[in-house]
Amino acid sequence: MVSLTSVRPRLAALRRLARSAAARRADGVFIVEGATLSTEAAAAGLRIREVYIETSRADEEAQHLGDRLAAAGAALVEVEAGTLAKVGASVTPQPLLAIVERAQAAPEGDSPADAASFVLVAVSVADPGNAGTLLRCAEAAGAGAVIFAGEAADPYGPKAVRASAGSIFRLPPALSEDPAGTLDDLRSRGLRTVGAAAGRGLPFDRADLCPPLALVVGSESHGLPASLAESIDEWVHVPLAGQAESLNVGAAAAVLCFEVQRRRRDEVPHAAGTVLDR
């Protein structure tokens, strides 16, 4: 148990981690809110560095989790009720927060796409909720890697972590400051780059979405920048009915990701119940 005299500086550091992507990157950690997600993070093999718990609000599950994580080496910090509401961004604050270390980065020169035939690339996606949704969709559709490129929302921010519903633990995203360089690298590794844009290219059900490919989606407001045109092999869109002008990037990515999954399932023979190789 952490002594009371050391709680205040820890809380100041916790607030910095909650608010600053740079602080999270520098420390190689991120914040996970709630007992359910913290349990998933531990189950995924990630190291839990610290656990903060409001003992007066925590239920039996949270109390037991705090004790188990402390026994595994995490620092357990008990705080007063209402403390964590000032740290997390959730509308309904959880009585438990964990500081979790990010998965080890790939060795220099390796790419998250090395062993993946299906990669999702998100370029300048600004909303952290959308970033987390993209991770969740990518994992559910069997993608082998997710790359956030350009000036994108930090997928390790608290809101994005919540929206990922645990997918970020099992499919840790890669970050890139150079979208064009990332796409060119993927192409050099044998993946076709397929850009999603409203009304551009073939409808998704007529396009070639069979792996190996990198599905590329753009920002909520502006889509994919024109500067990436030379790095995109093919374009695809989701036909819309009614008067809707566009889909949310998370919704569009879900449609396209599951179409890729369907093509893989139809083309690769496998026994019932077998998970396809990513």
Side-chain angles (χ1 to χ4, degrees), residues 65-230:
L65 175 62
D67 292 340
R68 290 199 306 273
L69 295 177
L76 182 60
V77 185
E78 292 186 348
V79 296
E80 296 178 353
T83 301
L84 299 182
K86 303 172 185 177
V87 175
S90 175
V91 175
T92 55
Q94 299 287 329
L96 181 147
L97 295 180
I99 295 181
V100 180
E101 294 186 1
R102 299 188 188 189
Q104 289 292 323
E108 187 174 352
D110 286 357
S111 162
D114 280 347
S117 63
F118 172 28
V119 176
L120 177 63
V121 182
V123 178
S124 299
V125 170
D127 183 80
N130 284 336
T133 297
L134 291 174
L135 279 166
R136 189 175 185 180
C137 289
E139 185 196 19
V146 179
I147 303 172
F148 288 90
E151 297 182 1
D154 180 18
Y156 286 99
K159 184 176 180 180
V161 172
R162 288 198 307 275
S164 81
S167 291
I168 194 169
F169 310 142
R170 299 174 292 270
L171 188 63
L175 307 179
S176 168
E177 296 180 355
D178 180 10
T182 295
L183 297 183
D184 291 342
D185 177 67
L186 292 172
R187 294 167 82 192
S188 73
R189 297 172 188 271
L191 279 71
R192 289 179 299 115
T193 53
V194 180
R200 188 168 183 178
L202 291 173
F204 75 93
D205 55 346
R206 292 172 49 201
D208 181 4
L209 293 181
C210 295
L213 65 80
L215 178 63
V216 190
V217 298
S219 72
E220 297 86 347
S221 301
H222 306 293
L224 289 170
S227 60
L228 293 182
E230 293 186 359

